[in-house]
Amino acid sequence: MVSVSPNEGSEKQILRLFRMEYMTGPAKSSQGNILCCQCGVPIPPNPANMCVACLRTQVDISEGIPKQVSVHFCKQCERYLQPPGTWIQCALESRELLTLCLKKLKASLSKVRLIDAGFIWTEPHSKRLKVKLTIQKEVMNGAILQQVFVVDYVVMSQMCDDCHRVEAKDFWKAVVQVRQKVLHKKTFYYLEQIILKHRLHQNTLRVKEIHDGLDFYYASKQHAQKMVEFLQCTVPCRSKASQRLISHDIHSNSYNYKSTFSVEIVPVCKDNVVCLSPKLAQSLGNMSQICVCVRVTSAVHLIDPNTLQIAEVDGNTYWRHPFHSLFHPKQLEEFIVMDVDLVRDRKQGAGAGVRSNKHTLAEVWVQKTSEMNTSQQYHCRTHLGHLLNPGDLVQGFDLANCNLNDEFINKMNPHHVPDVVLIKKGYDRSRRQRRRNWKLKELEREKEGMDTDDERQYQDFLEDLEEDEILRKNVNIYKNASIAVESDTDEEGAPRISLAEMLEDLHISHDATGGEGAEMLTQ
């Protein structure tokens, strides 16, 4: 038996307890709280030894940042002033407008750290913009404090320099004078819709309508040149440029000019009867000299009513071989169709050009509605065989009983000159106007005098849009909510525009700057 001393047993017990404490791992330390030096609330320790509430009462990190700032807005062009003298376009609650607002506080925000910024919604008519800012700043003994506050921006109206010049109505650097020496404005009505669709009127100072065309005034020569290039791609025309010296600074060697661009559109409109020169008719595929203009876009589209042959004459070709309309639009006469005989399988001559697939050649006997008490009838060929039936009304020009003064037609063989050239089928105009459930937008322009014939010419243009699908592809047509939508079936068979081709008439809401009638452009 081995005896163990009492002292030795106690040492082993202490060693066993030490090993147990060592194997349980290190002791976890817990952070203690301190009392706030102001209110005595227990808080975790921080460099300032104060709670957040007391720290905010002692320190305001937004001090020195203005809580109310003014921004200047031009109602005419809907732009904001970016100091010192730049006017920029900004949509409401956009990134650009937020950048503009923060630049107003750039000097004050340099002492703090900007964490977040955003708009707070305000009433559209309040002339107020509210921006919510979140900032951080190091305060007492290295403590970082974060604060959220709102800056109120007052929108003040101020006219920009460009609008000052526009209101003066005498300031312009360049003018584009568009002219067409015709008695009908169909081409100008079409050109107006093209300009509206491509928004080329936005840079104009003003648009002035005169007897033979339109004048577009611009503040810069570059905008006028852009307009001239657009016209050259849209309608057959030719242009000339000139400039006039206004002032000259001999010290800085700078010149101030006013530029004038003259654009002349070919004097041919839709539904005109023209007589081509023999050389031009031969170059277009040996077509007849007497043709009908069916459309004017970037070129003059002609059709031969005797063979259905079609051709396009661009601006350069026209000015090399010019031709003019034989009749005034008011000389259109009304005929009634007595008999229609469709022409089938007509053989083309040597060197003939392309024939139209949208028209049908027919031989027609017609009689003037003003000569119904006589037995006088006229025989002609027409390209409207797909539309005409006996008893229909049709409009055309009487070549047999008129005195024409044209150098080309006077040299033609009289046997090759038709008695009548039919232009289009006649419909009830008043009924078409009542059923028309669409409308077009117009350019804002100054008018020297309203011609009594303008309304009739405008109605002619609207009817052309209904009848020509290719022409209205380049035109924005809007629904007219004031007229009820009727069925597409028409007993008379008058062409109509389907609802699928119409656009909704959008009304842009008022902006948040207040002024009545001011609209905010968001595109």
Side-chain angles (χ1 to χ4, degrees):
M1 176 179 292
V2 179
S3 61
V4 179
S5 64
N7 292 335
E8 186 178 355
S10 60
E11 288 178 0
K12 290 182 178 180
Q13 186 177 4
I14 293 173
L15 183 59
R16 191 180 300 112
L17 291 174
F18 177 75
R19 288 177 178 174
M20 290 177 62
E21 290 180 0
Y22 178 76
M23 293 180 67
T24 56
K28 296 182 180 178
S29 61
S30 61
Q31 183 180 7
N33 291 335
I34 63 173
L35 299 180
C36 174
C37 63
Q38 294 289 333
C39 60
V41 176
I43 58 171
N46 60 66
N49 294 330
M50 283 192 290
C51 63
V52 176
C54 295
L55 192 58
R56 286 178 176 172
T57 59
Q58 298 292 325
V59 180
D60 183 14
I61 63 174
S62 66
E63 185 179 2
I65 301 177
K67 304 302 187 294
Q68 189 171 19
V69 187
S70 62
V71 293
H72 295 88
F73 176 77
C74 179
K75 292 182 179 179
Q76 278 70 19
C77 61
E78 299 174 346
R79 294 185 298 175
Y80 291 89
L81 174 63
Q82 180 176 328
T86 306
W87 292 84
I88 59 175
Q89 194 94 29
C90 299
L92 287 178
E93 298 188 5
S94 63
R95 183 179 301 178
E96 293 79 9
L97 185 56
L98 182 61
T99 303
L100 176 65
C101 294
L102 293 179
K103 284 184 177 180
K104 288 277 187 177
L105 308 174
K106 185 175 181 180
S108 304
L109 293 176
S110 61
K111 300 179 182 179
V112 297
R113 182 184 179 187
L114 181 63
I115 301 300
D116 189 22
F119 283 102
I120 299 177
W121 185 85
T122 55
E123 290 289 343
H125 56 78
S126 62
K127 289 190 176 182
R128 295 292 188 274
L129 299 172
K130 292 187 176 182
V131 179
K132 181 180 179 182
L133 301 178
T134 303
I135 59 174
Q136 285 183 353
K137 185 179 181 181
E138 185 177 346
V139 291
M140 300 177 179
N141 301 324
I144 296 177
L145 185 62
Q146 180 171 311
Q147 185 174 344
V148 179
F149 64 100
V150 176
V151 179
D152 193 6
Y153 291 84
V154 181
V155 180
M156 304 180 67
S157 298
Q158 178 179 334
M159 188 177 292
C160 64
D161 296 337
D162 295 337
C163 293
H164 266 297
R165 299 188 183 103
V166 174
E167 291 298 322
K169 296 184 179 180
D170 292 327
F171 177 83
W172 53 273
K173 286 291 186 68
V175 58
V176 179
Q177 299 174 341
V178 186
R179 300 289 183 268
Q180 187 183 28
K181 299 176 182 179
V182 293
L183 298 174
H184 204 291
K185 299 181 179 179
K186 285 185 178 181
T187 305
F188 276 107
Y189 289 136
Y190 171 75
L191 186 60
E192 176 186 16
Q193 298 303 318
I194 296 294
I195 292 174
L196 287 171
K197 182 174 183 178
H198 293 87
R199 299 178 178 270
L200 285 186
H201 63 290
Q202 292 182 345
N203 295 324
T204 57
L205 298 178
R206 64 187 177 117
V207 181
K208 185 177 180 181
E209 180 180 353
I210 61 173
H211 178 65
D212 289 334
L214 296 171
D215 289 344
F216 298 89
Y217 293 88
Y218 295 91
S220 67
K221 184 178 179 181
Q222 290 75 15
H223 290 156
Q225 290 174 335
K226 182 179 179 182
M227 183 65 171
V228 173
E229 293 173 357
F230 173 78
L231 292 175
Q232 291 174 344
C233 298
T234 306
V235 290
C237 60
R238 62 180 177 181
S239 62
K240 293 188 298 183
S242 63
Q243 58 184 9
R244 179 164 59 96
L245 180 64
I246 303 301
S247 61
H248 170 45
D249 188 354
I250 60 175
H251 300 288
S252 61
N253 199 25
S254 60
Y255 296 83
N256 183 20
Y257 289 100
K258 279 192 173 182
S259 303
T260 301
F261 297 88
S262 177
V263 179
E264 183 181 359
I265 303 175
V266 297
V268 178
C269 290
K270 186 180 184 299
D271 296 337
N272 283 164
V273 177
V274 298
C275 183
L276 308 179
S277 64
K279 185 176 181 180
L280 178 60
Q282 184 180 7
S283 65
L284 295 177
N286 290 328
M287 65 190 305
S288 300
Q289 289 184 245
I290 296 181
C291 300
V292 178
C293 177
V294 293
R295 193 181 304 110
V296 177
T297 54
S298 57
V300 179
H301 299 256
L302 302 175
I303 186 170
D304 181 3
N306 194 42
T307 61
L308 292 186
Q309 189 172 334
I310 57 177
E312 295 183 5
V313 180
D314 58 7
N316 295 330
T317 305
Y318 176 85
W319 298 117
R320 289 197 303 268
H321 306 282
F323 51 87
H324 303 279
S325 175
L326 299 179
F327 294 92
H328 186 276
K330 291 184 178 179
Q331 293 178 285
L332 270 175
E333 298 190 50
E334 190 175 55
F335 297 85
I336 184 169
V337 179
M338 308 304 294
D339 189 20
V340 179
D341 186 14
L342 299 182
V343 179
R344 305 286 185 183
D345 300 331
R346 175 179 171 83
K347 294 183 179 181
Q348 289 182 314
V354 181
R355 296 183 61 181
S356 174
N357 296 323
K358 296 184 178 180
H359 300 84
T360 303
L361 187 63
E363 293 185 354
V364 183
W365 286 91
V366 295
Q367 186 175 10
K368 289 185 181 179
T369 55
S370 60
E371 298 177 355
M372 294 299 294
N373 55 349
T374 66
S375 60
Q376 178 66 37
Q377 293 187 3
Y378 302 91
H379 175 264
C380 66
R381 282 193 172 182
T382 180
H383 59 289
L384 303 178
H386 60 295
L387 297 175
L388 300 182
N389 295 299
D392 288 344
L393 295 177
V394 63
Q395 294 179 337
F397 294 107
D398 183 7
L399 279 72
N401 301 315
C402 67
N403 186 12
L404 297 176
N405 185 16
D406 185 83
E407 59 174 330
F408 300 130
I409 199 170
N410 292 336
K411 298 178 182 179
M412 285 183 62
N413 187 343
H415 298 289
H416 296 164
V417 179
D419 294 337
V420 173
V421 177
L422 301 181
I423 301 300
K424 58 183 178 180
K425 185 178 178 179
Y427 300 98
D428 186 358
R429 168 167 285 188
S430 59
R431 184 177 181 182
R432 293 182 72 174
Q433 293 182 12
R434 291 194 305 267
R435 292 170 60 91
R436 187 172 292 138
N437 57 346
W438 54 273
K439 59 184 179 179
L440 302 176
K441 292 187 176 180
E442 298 182 5
L443 279 175
E444 295 183 2
R445 56 185 182 270
E446 303 174 7
K447 298 183 179 181
E448 287 186 348
M450 187 67 180
D451 192 356
T452 55
D453 197 40
D454 287 351
E455 181 61 27
R456 184 188 65 84
Q457 295 181 9
Y458 187 68
Q459 293 299 326
D460 289 343
F461 172 70
L462 297 183
E463 293 176 1
D464 291 342
L465 288 180
E466 291 176 336
E467 296 169 5
D468 194 343
E469 182 180 357
I470 299 177
L471 189 65
R472 62 175 179 260
K473 284 183 178 180
N474 299 324
V475 177
N476 285 339
I477 299 174
Y478 298 91
K479 295 180 183 177
N480 191 353
S482 60
I483 299 179
V485 179
E486 300 181 9
S487 62
D488 290 338
T489 58
D490 192 347
E491 298 177 358
E492 191 181 16
R496 300 185 63 189
I497 298 178
S498 63
L499 290 175
E501 298 179 73
M502 301 181 192
L503 302 174
E504 294 289 346
D505 192 7
L506 300 179
H507 298 280
I508 302 176
S509 58
H510 299 302
D511 60 26
T513 59
E516 279 190 31
E519 294 180 346
M520 175 61 68
L521 184 64
T522 58
Q523 294 183 357

